[in-house]
């Protein structure tokens, strides 16, 4: 029962914060890509904060990340690794399925962050 409640609380947190951030930052779409990457990092931080508080799930980076351009091939088991890469890397270039760009709001920000 407690696992179900914690999951439900996180889901509510995630949906509410995502909706609020999307509406507040809709004007960011006319700004340069760096503003959208900043927003993606903010969204990632807020999401991971909710995961830590509601679900008890955290993450850590071990070792030193290389500086400059690099190729990272994530297994992409869930959306988690997508959010984590925005926090771990300086300016990630993302390869994605074109269908994701068709999702209203989410796809618009995703398009801008990858452009």
């Amino acid at each position: 029962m407690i696992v179900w409640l914690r999951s439900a609380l996180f889901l509510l947190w995630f949906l509410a914060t995502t909706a609020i951030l999307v509406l507040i930052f809709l004007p960011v779409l006319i700004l340069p890509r760096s503003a959208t990457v900043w927003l993606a990092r903010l969204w990632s931080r807020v999401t991971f904060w909710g995961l830590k508080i509601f679900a008890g799930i955290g993450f850590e980076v071990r070792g030193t990340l290389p500086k400059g351009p690099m190729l990272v091939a994530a297994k992409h088991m869930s959306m988690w690794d997508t959010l984590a890469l925005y926090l771990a890397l300086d300016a990630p270039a993302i390869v994605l399925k074109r269908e994701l760009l068709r999702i209203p709001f989410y796809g618009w920000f995703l398009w801008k962050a990858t452009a």
Side-chain angles (χ1 to χ4, degrees), residues 37-104:
V37 171
W38 178 84
L39 175 59
R41 285 196 175 108
L42 175 65
W43 181 52
S44 297
R45 280 188 210 100
V46 168
T47 300
F48 279 118
W49 184 86
L51 276 172
K52 181 89 167 160
I53 297 301
F54 298 115
I57 298 172
F59 79 99
E60 66 180 89
V61 176
R62 294 184 183 184
T64 305
L65 293 171
K67 300 292 182 201
M70 71 188 93
L71 177 62
V72 176
K75 226 175 180 178
H76 195 55
M77 301 297 283
S78 69
M79 188 174 160
W80 185 93
D81 59 351
T82 304
L83 294 173
L85 289 176
Y86 264 102
L87 295 180
L89 304 176
D90 288 331
I94 306 295
V95 177
L96 54 93
K97 291 182 354 182
R98 186 176 307 203
E99 292 81 8
L100 292 174
L101 299 175
R102 296 183 188 139
I103 301 171

